[in-house]
mmCIF file of all heavy atoms in Angstrom:
data_model
loop_
_atom_site.group_PDB
_atom_site.id
_atom_site.type_symbol
_atom_site.label_atom_id
_atom_site.label_comp_id
_atom_site.label_asym_id
_atom_site.label_seq_id
_atom_site.Cartn_x
_atom_site.Cartn_y
_atom_site.Cartn_z
ATOM 1 N N GLY C 36 -0.856 27.379 1.455
ATOM 2 C CA GLY C 36 0.384 26.617 1.515
ATOM 3 C C GLY C 36 0.692 25.921 0.205
ATOM 4 O O GLY C 36 1.850 25.690 -0.134
ATOM 5 N N TYR C 37 -0.344 25.601 -0.530
ATOM 6 C CA TYR C 37 -0.186 25.028 -1.860
ATOM 7 C C TYR C 37 -0.556 26.121 -2.846
ATOM 8 O O TYR C 37 -1.695 26.564 -2.904
ATOM 9 C CB TYR C 37 -1.113 23.837 -2.076
ATOM 10 C CG TYR C 37 -0.882 22.668 -1.158
ATOM 11 C CD1 TYR C 37 -1.945 22.045 -0.529
ATOM 12 C CD2 TYR C 37 0.379 22.166 -0.929
ATOM 13 C CE1 TYR C 37 -1.763 20.956 0.295
ATOM 14 C CE2 TYR C 37 0.581 21.072 -0.095
ATOM 15 C CZ TYR C 37 -0.489 20.471 0.506
ATOM 16 O OH TYR C 37 -0.305 19.392 1.322
ATOM 17 N N ALA C 38 0.400 26.591 -3.607
ATOM 18 C CA ALA C 38 0.132 27.661 -4.563
ATOM 19 C C ALA C 38 0.979 27.445 -5.807
ATOM 20 O O ALA C 38 2.102 26.957 -5.727
ATOM 21 C CB ALA C 38 0.451 29.015 -3.948
ATOM 22 N N ILE C 39 0.431 27.817 -6.928
ATOM 23 C CA ILE C 39 1.150 27.754 -8.188
ATOM 24 C C ILE C 39 1.617 29.162 -8.495
ATOM 25 O O ILE C 39 0.804 30.087 -8.596
ATOM 26 C CB ILE C 39 0.239 27.240 -9.318
ATOM 27 C CG1 ILE C 39 -0.240 25.834 -8.980
ATOM 28 C CG2 ILE C 39 0.967 27.270 -10.647
ATOM 29 C CD1 ILE C 39 -1.302 25.314 -9.915
ATOM 30 N N PRO C 40 2.922 29.355 -8.633
ATOM 31 C CA PRO C 40 3.403 30.705 -8.922
ATOM 32 C C PRO C 40 2.906 31.175 -10.289
ATOM 33 O O PRO C 40 2.854 30.410 -11.240
ATOM 34 C CB PRO C 40 4.924 30.574 -8.910
ATOM 35 C CG PRO C 40 5.231 29.133 -8.839
ATOM 36 C CD PRO C 40 3.979 28.389 -8.525
ATOM 37 N N ALA C 41 2.541 32.423 -10.364
ATOM 38 C CA ALA C 41 2.033 32.990 -11.613
ATOM 39 C C ALA C 41 2.909 34.159 -12.032
ATOM 40 O O ALA C 41 3.490 34.851 -11.199
ATOM 41 C CB ALA C 41 0.603 33.460 -11.425
ATOM 42 N N GLU C 42 2.973 34.370 -13.317
ATOM 43 C CA GLU C 42 3.702 35.517 -13.845
ATOM 44 C C GLU C 42 2.701 36.616 -14.176
ATOM 45 O O GLU C 42 1.646 36.353 -14.741
ATOM 46 C CB GLU C 42 4.460 35.133 -15.109
ATOM 47 C CG GLU C 42 5.592 34.179 -14.868
ATOM 48 C CD GLU C 42 6.361 33.880 -16.142
ATOM 49 O OE1 GLU C 42 6.338 34.737 -17.068
ATOM 50 O OE2 GLU C 42 6.953 32.812 -16.206
ATOM 51 N N GLU C 43 3.065 37.827 -13.836
ATOM 52 C CA GLU C 43 2.219 38.971 -14.159
ATOM 53 C C GLU C 43 2.358 39.273 -15.647
ATOM 54 O O GLU C 43 3.437 39.160 -16.224
ATOM 55 C CB GLU C 43 2.633 40.195 -13.343
ATOM 56 C CG GLU C 43 2.360 40.047 -11.863
ATOM 57 C CD GLU C 43 0.876 40.017 -11.566
ATOM 58 O OE1 GLU C 43 0.113 40.742 -12.225
ATOM 59 O OE2 GLU C 43 0.486 39.262 -10.665
ATOM 60 N N ALA C 44 1.269 39.680 -16.271
ATOM 61 C CA ALA C 44 1.295 40.054 -17.681
ATOM 62 C C ALA C 44 2.043 41.374 -17.831
ATOM 63 O O ALA C 44 1.976 42.252 -16.970
ATOM 64 C CB ALA C 44 -0.115 40.194 -18.216
ATOM 65 N N HIS C 45 2.752 41.521 -18.937
ATOM 66 C CA HIS C 45 3.462 42.774 -19.209
ATOM 67 C C HIS C 45 2.456 43.880 -19.506
ATOM 68 O O HIS C 45 1.334 43.627 -19.935
ATOM 69 C CB HIS C 45 4.410 42.595 -20.394
ATOM 70 C CG HIS C 45 5.489 41.596 -20.125
ATOM 71 N ND1 HIS C 45 6.498 41.814 -19.229
ATOM 72 C CD2 HIS C 45 5.683 40.351 -20.617
ATOM 73 C CE1 HIS C 45 7.284 40.757 -19.192
ATOM 74 N NE2 HIS C 45 6.816 39.844 -20.033
ATOM 75 N N ASP C 46 2.866 45.120 -19.304
ATOM 76 C CA ASP C 46 1.963 46.259 -19.509
ATOM 77 C C ASP C 46 1.408 46.319 -20.921
ATOM 78 O O ASP C 46 0.245 46.615 -21.124
ATOM 79 C CB ASP C 46 2.679 47.564 -19.175
ATOM 80 C CG ASP C 46 2.898 47.733 -17.685
ATOM 81 O OD1 ASP C 46 2.142 47.105 -16.916
ATOM 82 O OD2 ASP C 46 3.820 48.459 -17.294
ATOM 83 N N ASP C 47 2.238 46.019 -21.931
ATOM 84 C CA ASP C 47 1.737 46.097 -23.308
ATOM 85 C C ASP C 47 0.698 45.001 -23.582
ATOM 86 O O ASP C 47 -0.220 45.188 -24.364
ATOM 87 C CB ASP C 47 2.872 46.022 -24.320
ATOM 88 C CG ASP C 47 3.700 44.757 -24.197
ATOM 89 O OD1 ASP C 47 3.744 44.177 -23.106
ATOM 90 O OD2 ASP C 47 4.290 44.345 -25.224
ATOM 91 N N GLU C 48 0.818 43.873 -22.937
ATOM 92 C CA GLU C 48 -0.182 42.819 -23.099
ATOM 93 C C GLU C 48 -1.491 43.214 -22.415
ATOM 94 O O GLU C 48 -2.571 42.914 -22.923
ATOM 95 C CB GLU C 48 0.339 41.504 -22.530
ATOM 96 C CG GLU C 48 1.469 40.893 -23.330
ATOM 97 C CD GLU C 48 2.033 39.643 -22.682
ATOM 98 O OE1 GLU C 48 1.732 39.405 -21.498
ATOM 99 O OE2 GLU C 48 2.771 38.921 -23.353
ATOM 100 N N LYS C 49 -1.397 43.896 -21.287
ATOM 101 C CA LYS C 49 -2.603 44.348 -20.594
ATOM 102 C C LYS C 49 -3.352 45.383 -21.441
ATOM 103 O O LYS C 49 -4.573 45.399 -21.488
ATOM 104 C CB LYS C 49 -2.244 44.947 -19.231
ATOM 105 C CG LYS C 49 -1.834 43.922 -18.216
ATOM 106 C CD LYS C 49 -1.528 44.587 -16.884
ATOM 107 C CE LYS C 49 -1.077 43.578 -15.863
ATOM 108 N NZ LYS C 49 -0.718 44.208 -14.593
#
Side-chain angles (χ1 to χ4, degrees):
Y37 298 134
I39 299 171
E42 292 183 25
E43 292 292 323
H45 297 291
D46 288 337
D47 58 335
E48 291 176 346
K49 287 181 182 177

